């Protein structure tokens, strides 16, 4: 049975998607066809959205589910004329919140993912630059400025985790890949020793590691299961003997890896 | 008046934050102190959260606002014993959605930002690698694989926008900085010509550009307002004469830049 979900917003659509995906994930047996309609910020665009929804309804033979985070009431009213089942975030929560806060909503469009302050924009850019400049152990002389330093074998998820922490939270994250040489010595590299308190280990299932490495260098020693098993065994032993906090990335998304590390280490977020 | 908002989740907290920030952004006159409590996935942790909320309530002399996306009902019930004003996403929307879908919710924890499929994980990692490998015009030989190629002067926001598109949407985004030489010729660089259809220009207010560049190289020609004004004038003229679609990044967040370009160009998203 085909069922379509629309995420409709007058801004980026990120909130509608996050909320909608959270709710839909609870219905694992249904395969949803998902459509995001961002920047629906005029009556004309709302009318076009309604046409699209109603057409999909006819094709599906089922009414679509609409997750609506449009702030403007007139636009929202147009959207509610479609035949879809509608989950309307602002109708549900904004009025009661006005009462609770004793304050009127500004009903201004697209505020949540807009630029708030120039300083937080700069923090974000600086954090992204930091992650790129301090990626892959290329440079270690800025580690004193890092909030966290991820370490582990090549391709275990360090780079995307660092970038996510930078973009989403403004956390300055460096990463240092443990090389064959580091693993052969069975000890933390000298260069990391001054930053013990900032280190966080990533590990991974050897099968998954081999499959990820295979994408980069197929049929190499680097991507062989033997090699991956060896590296993971050594690195996990090193994390235990060195008493480094660590996480197995196999079962976690990048969002989960990033938020778990931030929560566990109590890292300060520069963005809100 | 100090007012605290809590974002509480049994998962990453990303949905609670997105929703809560959307709603709170409508009350611009109130300065909220924001606290995220992720991974509240046991009765014990919920009890500790309630203690924390009630303590903050006493300190603030105001009841906090709690945005709750906890799925487990028993845990949610504990959280509702605090004195806070609570916005409870699953209570509000899950039951009606069960009726609409004729299906029971699995009430399973932390689903929305968990790993769904290995293929989409790989798509994401590949997109991040693509953005890094094709950052800053370092290499152009993979541009045929790009979904989009951002271009503009140095420090106008290309790199974070590309990384955000990769991480959030699995879009393969390259970026090419227009150098002094490119600008002097007043034409699109030869190397970009075969990829005209994938090009998207970024421009920026010269004052903001100067201030961003100043962070990197203070008091240089590169960061001088004169230089920034010259570069921006030339690049905007080039975008117009070459009829390149472009966006001024000054007033937009990275989320907005990314989602506007994706919507306008109709780029396929590899993540949902």
């Amino acid at each position: 049975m085909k069922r379509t979900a629309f995420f409709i917003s007058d801004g980026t659509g990120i909130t509608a998607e996050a909320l909608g995906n959270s709710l839909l994930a609870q219905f694992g047996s249904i395969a949803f066809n998902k459509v995001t309609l961002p920047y629906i910020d005029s009556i004309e665009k709302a009318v076009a959205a309604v046409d699209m929804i109603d057409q999909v309804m006819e094709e599906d033979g089922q009414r679509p589910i609409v997750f609506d985070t449009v702030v403007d009431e007139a636009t929202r009213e147009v959207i509610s004329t479609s035949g879809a089942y509608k989950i309307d975030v602002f109708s549900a929560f904004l009025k009661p919140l006005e009462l609770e806060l004793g304050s009127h909503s500004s009903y201004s469009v697209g505020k949540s993912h807009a630029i708030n302050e120039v300083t937080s924009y700069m923090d974000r850019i600086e954090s992204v630059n930091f992650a790129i400049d301090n990626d892959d152990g290329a440079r270690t002389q800025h580690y004193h400025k890092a909030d966290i330093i991820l370490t582990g074998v090549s391709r275990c998820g360090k780079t995307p985790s660092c970038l996510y922490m930078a973009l989403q939270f403004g956390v300055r994250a460096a990463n240092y890949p443990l090389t064959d040489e580091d693993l052969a010595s069975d000890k933390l590299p000298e260069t990391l020793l001054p930053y013990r308190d900032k280190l966080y280990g990533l590990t991974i299932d050897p099968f998954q590691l081999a499959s990820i490495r295979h994408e980069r260098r197929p049929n190499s020693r680097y991507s062989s299961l033997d090699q991956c098993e060896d590296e993971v065994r050594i690195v996990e032993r090193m994390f235990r003997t060195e008493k480094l906090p660590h996480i197995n990335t196999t079962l976690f998304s990048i969002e989960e890896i990033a938020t778990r590390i931030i929560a566990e280490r109590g890292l300060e977020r520069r963005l809100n």
Side-chain angles (χ1 to χ4, degrees), chain A residues 139-153:
Chain A
R139 282 189 278 176
T140 59
Q141 71 266 37
H142 302 301
Y143 278 12
H144 63 283
K145 291 188 197 159
D147 298 317
I148 189 97
I149 303 165
L150 303 189
T151 190
V153 300

Side-chain angles (χ1 to χ4, degrees), chain A residues 91-226:
Chain A
S91 290
F93 296 135
L94 206 51
K95 284 272 177 227
L97 207 50
E98 283 185 337
L99 287 175
E100 171 64 21
L101 295 171
S103 173
H104 279 287
S105 160
S106 57
Y107 291 97
S108 45
V109 166
K111 278 240 177 152
S112 65
H113 288 97
I115 284 185
N116 297 317
E117 295 153 36
V118 173
T119 53
S120 102
Y121 178 79
M122 298 287 251
D123 275 333
R124 194 172 193 186
I125 302 288
E126 277 306 302
S127 300
V128 170
N129 289 338
F130 187 88
I132 292 176
D133 292 346
N134 297 280
D135 184 42
D136 219 26
R139 282 189 278 176
T140 59
Q141 71 266 37
H142 302 301
Y143 278 12
H144 63 283
K145 291 188 197 159
D147 298 317
I148 189 97
I149 303 165
L150 303 189
T151 190
V153 300
S154 166
R155 297 288 128 186
C156 67
K158 299 180 300 297
T159 298
S161 302
C162 285
L163 289 169
Y164 191 84
M165 285 196 245
L167 273 168
Q168 187 79 12
F169 303 116
V171 165
R172 285 193 205 106
N175 81 78
Y176 184 95
L178 293 167
T179 60
D180 281 355
E181 207 180 325
D182 296 327
L183 295 173
S185 80
D186 217 0
K187 287 190 301 205
L188 275 178
E190 292 264 329
T191 169
L192 295 181
L193 293 180
Y195 312 105
R196 268 202 80 91
D197 295 349
K198 299 181 178 188
L199 293 180
Y200 204 101
L202 301 190
T203 180
I204 187 170
D205 172 74
F207 283 91
Q208 177 146 344
L209 183 60
S211 126
I212 292 170
R213 287 184 174 184
H214 189 76
E215 294 278 314
R216 277 245 137 165
R217 289 194 229 151
N219 306 314
S220 60
R221 177 169 161 273
Y222 172 76
S223 66
S224 71
L225 184 56
D226 273 1

Side-chain angles (χ1 to χ4, degrees), chain A residues 7 11 18 20 49 66 70 74 77 87 96 114 118 139 142 158 171-172 189 193 198 230 249 270 272:
Chain A
F7 309 121
V66 164
V70 170
E77 260 173 43
I87 286 193
V118 173
R139 282 189 278 176
H142 302 301
K158 299 180 300 297
V171 165
R172 285 193 205 106
L193 293 180
K198 299 181 178 188
D230 276 358
T249 63
R270 292 189 191 78
N272 268 312

Side-chain angles (χ1 to χ4, degrees), chain A residues 48-75:
Chain A
V50 168
D51 286 348
M52 186 178 183
I53 295 166
D54 286 343
Q55 199 185 322
V56 165
M57 180 159 71
E58 216 174 288
E59 287 163 15
D60 287 358
Q62 291 274 354
R63 59 177 179 170
I65 313 292
V66 164
F67 296 92
D68 179 345
T69 58
V70 170
V71 178
D72 180 66
E73 281 187 294
T75 313

Side-chain angles (χ1 to χ4, degrees), chain A residues 11-70:
Chain A
T12 64
I14 291 170
T15 302
E17 287 177 5
L19 176 73
N21 281 321
S22 278
L23 288 163
L24 297 181
Q26 296 299 319
F27 300 93
S29 61
I30 304 174
F32 292 96
N33 179 29
K34 298 172 182 176
V35 182
T36 303
L37 303 179
Y39 303 108
I40 304 297
D41 50 10
S42 70
I43 299 294
E44 293 69 37
K45 290 186 191 171
V47 170
V50 168
D51 286 348
M52 186 178 183
I53 295 166
D54 286 343
Q55 199 185 322
V56 165
M57 180 159 71
E58 216 174 288
E59 287 163 15
D60 287 358
Q62 291 274 354
R63 59 177 179 170
I65 313 292
V66 164
F67 296 92
D68 179 345
T69 58
V70 170

